[in-house]
Amino acid sequence: MKSQLLAATAVALLAFAPAAAQGAKPTPAEAKAFVDKAEADLAAFNQYVAKSSWVRATYITEDTQWLEAKATGEQNELVTRYAMEAAKYDGVAVDPVTARKLKLLKLYLVSPAPNRPGAAAELATLTTRMDSTYSSGKFQYKGKTLTLNDAEDILAESRDPAELKAVWEGWHSIAKPIKPDYVKFAALSNEGARGLGFKDTGALWRSNYDMDADAFAAETDRLWKQVEPFYRNLHCYVRGQLNDKYGDAVQKRTGPIRADLLGNMWAQQWGNVYDVVQPKGTTSSYSLDKLLTAKGYDPLKMVKTGENFYSSIGMTPLPETFWKRSMITRPQDREVVCHASAWDLDDRDDIRIKMCTKVNGEDFYTVHHELGHNYYQRAYKDQPFLFKNGANDGFHEAIGDFVGLSALTPTYLQQIGLLDKAPGADEDIPFLMKMALDKIAFLPFGLMVDRWRWEVFSGEVNPEHYNEAWWKLRLKYQGLVPPGDRPADAFDPGAKYHVPGNTPYTRYFLAHIYQFQFHRAACRQIGWKGPLHRCSVYGEKEMGKKFNAMLEMGASKPWPEEMAVFTGEKTTDASAVADYFQPLNAWLTVQNKGENCGW
Ligand code: X8Z
Ligand code: ZN
């Protein structure tokens, strides 16, 4: 994740666009000089922000929060002023590279600050505090103090509905104090976005995809329609299995599913309840959780294993500093942001991950996801500053996921000695079921988080109705309800990291489609003839070379061009998802005969 980090000095800004200042139209050469200077200043400021943020995220105290807020506030002020300045070159006949950089400058900040004294500092203080409140959130359960990590383990493992409900509600209670900050934050961020010419913060976010903001919203609708029938099929089947397990009093056979029964705090990935919903009459001969423990994996070995996959496709091994400076496990003596992320501290070689890694299949996958960010960052390090980014944020999320699709295949697990014998075709349905519980279940969640924020930012939903609007969307897209009535002061969106962390979420929805496009293209390149879900690109150096050629482009070209470099395709296309899961979707349709699907 490239943090929103940059800046320079106010004095330097005034040195630009002298012609514009006098009312004459600036020349293309002046526009280019402005962009060059902006890039140099922003790059210089970036390390200061990155290091302040890293220290705060790995050691949350009053002081580190102060330092991060100071750095990000100054950066926000600077970038916002540059972004406003960039508008002066609208309509100037600049070269394509300068034009793209001017555009990216306006889109650089996730939440630009209003251009008035004190506003950037206030916005920065709010975002640092919201993230820190979430990350150090704790609640009481049965006389014990639980963190999110503890609560997640219970959600994954417990099959006691009363316990699940209590722990789910306990975690959600930590978000209440975040709401007042979020209300103020949304207003400030909107004011800043309007200052840059966007309707609101949501419109700014939707403008980051090389197409018109409204066209992008329509594009996400189109993609959702492509995959929605499959999600409904999965929902129907899982609901039936939960009903068999828990009975009508806990989970009815019709209507929405109770959100705490799906093995994950946000019901965003359901793989943890595989044991409950596994297809009757089929067998799955292994559990990745158990294999990792049985073979003595520890967090470091998981990351080394991830690195080895990337090396096998021709990527240079991670630098020594990665191993020295990364945070791979949760420190016991201090508060940290446990939500996994990947960092690039110097826009060159100082790449790191920050995770509270547990030895289980979920984190085995997350390691590959995070490393994907780092290898992307390193691939585009020679690009000019404003192009040191993903083709779009969905690409950034999809790189490691693409690698993860291969790393989860039994063939690969056998190659690295985790699995003694790769199962045959009789285990295709169990395997695809596990994958769908994570990948297909995720799609509506990946969409609804920002649908909610788009409504908040546009003013369609006001603070009084935040929670109600959240559950309306949870129901509409995911077919979920909370385990009980929600308190009037609940702020359930705040119990999901990316809301207090102010990280746009549509990127993950896109990534859940892109990764299958990348996978299908890669498997074609290596000449794979079997079913897509059994294809692994481990060791495929030629493929890796072509993949890296796309990564090296960074944000230098519109994303469809970059996608074409690797896949030959220029549009987002969920048919790769359908291809991958085809046998399971057909199987589910048969299983669901006679069920009253939908909610
Ligand atoms: O936030 C993440 C990554 C860091 S970019 C761990 N993900 C989303 C989430 O956890 O909600 C990956 C999948 C979706
Ligand atoms: Zn990520």
Side-chain angles (χ1 to χ4, degrees):
M1 170 163 68
K2 177 160 180 145
S3 322
Q4 320 103 29
L5 329 168
L6 331 177
T9 66
V11 182
L13 277 166
L14 300 175
F16 284 95
Q22 291 152 24
K25 195 170 177 179
T27 64
E30 282 166 345
K32 187 173 179 310
F34 163 75
V35 164
D36 287 349
K37 174 73 174 143
E39 280 195 297
D41 286 348
L42 300 188
F45 206 86
N46 217 20
Q47 284 195 44
Y48 164 46
V49 174
K51 284 177 189 278
S52 318
S53 291
W54 174 268
V55 171
R56 197 274 309 178
T58 57
Y59 195 164
I60 304 176
T61 67
E62 189 53 39
D63 301 329
T64 58
Q65 290 187 65
W66 185 91
L67 288 166
E68 183 194 45
K70 181 164 162 52
T72 55
E74 286 170 13
Q75 177 203 39
N76 198 317
E77 208 160 78
L78 185 83
V79 182
T80 302
R81 293 177 66 175
Y82 264 124
M84 289 178 127
E85 187 102 2
K88 292 188 180 159
Y89 300 93
D90 289 350
V92 177
V94 294
D95 63 278
V97 168
T98 304
R100 187 161 175 83
K101 287 180 179 175
L102 283 167
K103 192 177 107 172
L104 291 175
L105 196 51
K106 291 180 213 162
L107 296 167
Y108 194 83
L109 292 169
V110 175
S111 284
N115 188 20
R116 54 182 166 80
E122 193 186 349
L123 184 69
T125 302
L126 288 167
T127 45
T128 293
R129 190 164 67 210
M130 288 192 294
D131 189 278
S132 303
T133 306
Y134 176 97
S135 299
S136 37
K138 285 178 200 67
F139 63 97
Q140 298 297 312
Y141 176 64
K142 287 193 176 161
K144 283 207 183 104
T145 304
L146 301 192
T147 63
L148 175 58
N149 278 172
D150 304 326
E152 284 184 291
D153 285 346
I154 297 173
L155 262 286
E157 286 156 26
S158 170
R159 302 294 176 245
D160 169 359
E163 176 164 73
L164 290 170
K165 179 172 188 276
V167 171
W168 188 98
E169 288 175 344
W171 173 252
H172 282 73
S173 72
I174 69 96
K176 286 179 195 178
I178 297 172
K179 181 169 171 179
D181 280 354
Y182 199 81
V183 174
K184 280 187 234 150
F185 150 79
L188 280 173
S189 176
N190 268 342
E191 191 187 334
R194 283 183 198 121
L196 293 183
F198 299 95
K199 239 179 9 203
D200 58 59
T201 304
L204 164 64
W205 292 6
R206 293 190 297 275
S207 300
N208 237 326
Y209 300 92
D210 297 304
M211 62 177 90
D212 175 74
D214 291 342
F216 177 70
E219 180 70 354
T220 58
D221 280 336
R222 176 185 73 80
L223 292 164
W224 171 236
K225 290 282 168 265
Q226 261 190 298
V227 292
E228 190 184 6
F230 185 15
Y231 176 72
R232 287 187 168 252
N233 239 356
L234 183 69
H235 180 281
C236 190
Y237 173 76
V238 165
R239 187 182 58 193
Q241 300 295 93
L242 291 172
N243 174 255
D244 286 347
K245 161 98 185 162
Y246 292 111
D248 283 345
V250 173
Q251 177 61 59
K252 292 202 179 56
R253 214 172 177 84
T254 55
I257 299 177
R258 229 178 87 165
D260 57 330
L261 302 180
L262 290 160
N264 172 280
M265 187 59 76
W266 309 275
Q268 65 180 66
Q269 282 129 346
W270 305 348
N272 288 328
V273 293
Y274 176 77
D275 60 311
V276 178
V277 307
Q278 63 187 317
K280 288 188 187 74
T282 60
T283 46
S284 177
S285 51
Y286 71 94
S287 129
L288 185 50
D289 290 349
K290 292 197 183 112
L291 291 179
L292 289 164
T293 323
K295 301 276 173 180
Y297 272 60
D298 59 20
L300 187 62
K301 182 156 186 195
M302 295 192 3
V303 185
K304 291 271 181 195
T305 305
E307 179 192 37
N308 176 60
F309 194 112
Y310 286 89
S311 297
S312 89
I313 59 169
M315 310 277 196
T316 311
L318 295 164
E320 204 39 50
T321 49
F322 172 93
W323 302 104
K324 280 212 189 91
R325 298 173 188 172
S326 287
M327 186 192 98
I328 292 174
T329 52
R330 182 186 192 117
Q332 292 308 308
D333 58 344
R334 59 187 200 260
E335 297 291 353
V336 300
V337 179
C338 265
H339 189 87
S341 55
W343 297 60
D344 181 358
L345 279 280
D346 65 352
D347 296 308
R348 282 215 76 75
D349 308 302
D350 191 353
I351 47 180
R352 313 177 192 174
I353 58 168
K354 178 185 64 56
M355 281 182 68
C356 298
T357 316
K358 297 175 188 171
V359 179
N360 61 32
E362 196 174 326
D363 275 0
F364 180 80
Y365 185 81
T366 302
V367 161
H368 292 80
H369 173 92
E370 295 307 334
L371 290 183
H373 289 302
N374 280 156
Y375 284 101
Y376 204 175
Q377 287 158 340
R378 208 178 47 184
Y380 57 59
K381 70 176 181 176
D382 292 327
Q383 288 287 347
F385 185 77
L386 283 165
F387 294 162
K388 287 188 203 221
N389 212 335
N392 67 39
D393 55 7
F395 273 59
H396 229 303
E397 298 305 332
I399 305 309
D401 280 0
F402 154 66
V403 166
L405 285 180
S406 289
L408 289 183
T409 59
T411 318
Y412 171 70
L413 297 179
Q414 192 202 2
Q415 280 170 322
I416 61 165
L418 262 175
L419 198 56
D420 295 333
K421 187 174 161 288
D426 53 323
E427 289 197 25
D428 277 2
I429 294 296
F431 176 78
L432 283 171
M433 177 64 77
K434 280 187 213 164
M435 294 302 287
L437 288 172
D438 285 335
K439 300 290 181 186
I440 301 301
F442 182 80
L443 289 161
F445 185 72
L447 201 63
M448 67 75 53
V449 174
D450 279 355
R451 288 287 196 269
W452 179 80
R453 279 191 288 205
W454 293 355
E455 289 178 4
V456 166
F457 289 131
S458 75
E460 191 182 331
V461 168
N462 62 37
E464 210 187 316
H465 298 114
Y466 274 180
N467 219 48
E468 197 185 312
W470 175 258
W471 283 104
K472 218 171 137 190
L473 292 165
R474 292 273 265 171
L475 179 63
K476 177 179 171 188
Y477 287 102
Q478 292 182 280
L480 299 181
V481 285
D485 288 342
R486 302 301 297 136
D489 58 349
F491 181 49
D492 296 332
K496 172 66 197 165
Y497 175 72
H498 301 69
V499 174
N502 194 29
T503 308
Y505 210 80
T506 309
R507 58 183 64 182
Y508 302 107
F509 172 76
L510 297 172
H512 275 67
I513 296 174
Y514 294 153
Q515 64 188 269
F516 290 98
Q517 283 183 268
F518 295 161
H519 183 71
R520 182 172 65 182
C523 295
R524 278 180 189 152
Q525 282 170 34
I526 66 169
W528 177 255
K529 296 279 181 286
L532 266 186
H533 64 273
R534 283 209 249 151
C535 165
S536 158
V537 299
Y538 182 62
E540 297 288 349
K541 293 209 165 46
E542 273 309 303
M543 184 287 310
K545 225 169 155 178
K546 203 165 167 186
F547 189 59
N548 210 47
M550 174 174 78
L551 304 193
E552 282 174 355
M553 294 170 80
S556 64
K557 294 274 155 49
W559 67 261
E561 270 181 60
E562 301 206 8
M563 179 185 267
V565 166
F566 182 60
T567 66
E569 298 160 27
K570 283 195 153 185
T571 53
T572 316
D573 180 7
S575 75
V577 179
D579 287 355
Y580 183 99
F581 286 106
Q582 194 282 326
L584 180 73
N585 202 14
W587 183 89
L588 284 172
T589 305
V590 175
Q591 302 299 310
N592 288 337
K593 280 236 157 67
E595 297 285 346
N596 191 359
C597 292
W599 54 86

